[in-house]
Amino acid sequence: MMAIKIISAGWGNIKKLQLYFSQFGSTSVMQDFELNQEDILVIPGVGNFDYLSRILNYEKNRKVINAHYNSGGKIIGICSGFQILFESSEEGYLVGLGFMRGEIEKLPKLNMGWYSTTSKFEKVYFMNRFGLKETNLVRTHGIKYDFSDTKEGVRIVSHIRSENILGMQFHPEISRDRCSALISEFLN
């Protein structure tokens, strides 16, 4: 049976995420990095790139995440959890998970507020200082991309989707209903 497991990064509003994801199935905060193939791994948007990299690339944790990904297990990344799915970031010097190609860059200003995307749903809530600019995106076959423009006119990737990865630069737990269809479609 599918279980949604949210990584605990030691701080952040995990309870709000847990409450939001409970509409999709059994949801728990993961402390031990044990996953079954049918589990959904959620990497929340807490901390910065290097902070998440230290947790996720720790030898035992990385082996579990790689085995989950390679067996077709589903992964959802939110905000900095979205960014860590890529290879690197200007925010730090450590490597990301590298499941997606591209480098995260510093944006001209904090990107905070409700913004439209190029997809069918309404405005969603962003709060990020770093993002994947469209110009840094390495397009890969089989991956769907969606974009949003910051107040400064910088086009960033707002979300990506592959067979087993859904990455959202925005916050679904704040955007709520606007994102529920996207997540439901990915999970089914």
Side-chain angles (χ1 to χ4, degrees):
M1 184 173 137
M2 175 189 79
I4 298 168
K5 296 188 175 180
I6 302 169
I7 290 176
S8 173
W11 58 293
N13 197 349
I14 298 296
K15 291 286 184 200
K16 193 171 196 170
L17 266 179
Q18 191 174 4
L19 179 63
Y20 175 74
F21 275 99
S22 67
Q23 70 183 299
F24 305 107
S26 171
T27 305
S28 63
V29 177
M30 185 170 74
Q31 305 287 344
D32 55 8
F33 273 85
E34 289 183 14
L35 293 166
N36 296 316
Q37 182 184 0
E38 64 273 6
D39 291 341
I40 310 302
L41 174 64
V42 177
I43 305 172
V46 294
N48 61 33
F49 194 89
D50 280 357
Y51 179 79
L52 277 176
S53 181
R54 279 187 201 93
I55 293 169
L56 302 178
N57 283 314
Y58 176 72
E59 186 177 343
K60 177 187 175 267
N61 298 347
R62 184 59 194 251
K63 284 180 183 176
V64 170
I65 293 168
N66 281 349
H68 185 67
Y69 175 77
N70 291 331
S71 70
K74 294 191 176 205
I75 299 172
I76 298 175
I78 300 166
C79 196
S80 55
F82 160 81
Q83 295 172 6
I84 201 72
L85 297 171
F86 291 88
E87 299 162 311
S88 62
S89 173
E90 287 183 349
E91 188 175 17
Y93 59 90
L94 298 177
V95 297
L97 294 172
F99 296 141
M100 299 288 155
R101 303 216 31 232
E103 180 186 10
I104 306 300
E105 282 189 72
K106 188 172 185 176
L107 301 175
K109 291 186 177 178
L110 176 66
N111 184 42
M112 187 167 100
W114 295 89
Y115 294 93
S116 295
T117 69
T118 55
S119 71
K120 59 188 175 208
F121 51 79
E122 299 172 34
K123 292 182 177 184
V124 288
Y125 188 78
F126 289 85
M127 189 170 73
N128 56 302
R129 185 69 175 98
F130 292 81
L132 181 64
K133 295 178 183 175
E134 182 178 25
T135 55
N136 276 358
L137 175 65
V138 179
R139 292 183 185 269
T140 306
H141 179 72
I143 299 176
K144 296 177 184 175
Y145 305 95
D146 190 30
F147 303 93
S148 180
D149 295 320
T150 67
K151 285 180 189 171
E152 292 72 36
V154 177
R155 180 153 280 204
I156 61 170
V157 177
S158 61
H159 80 268
I160 55 161
R161 180 170 174 199
S162 70
E163 189 174 319
N164 62 331
I165 288 195
L166 175 62
M168 297 170 280
Q169 181 63 72
F170 49 82
H171 288 266
E173 76 280 12
I174 296 172
S175 306
R176 307 219 32 95
D177 294 339
R178 294 168 173 89
C179 302
S180 295
L182 175 70
I183 294 170
S184 289
E185 184 181 297
F186 174 69
L187 295 178
N188 296 320

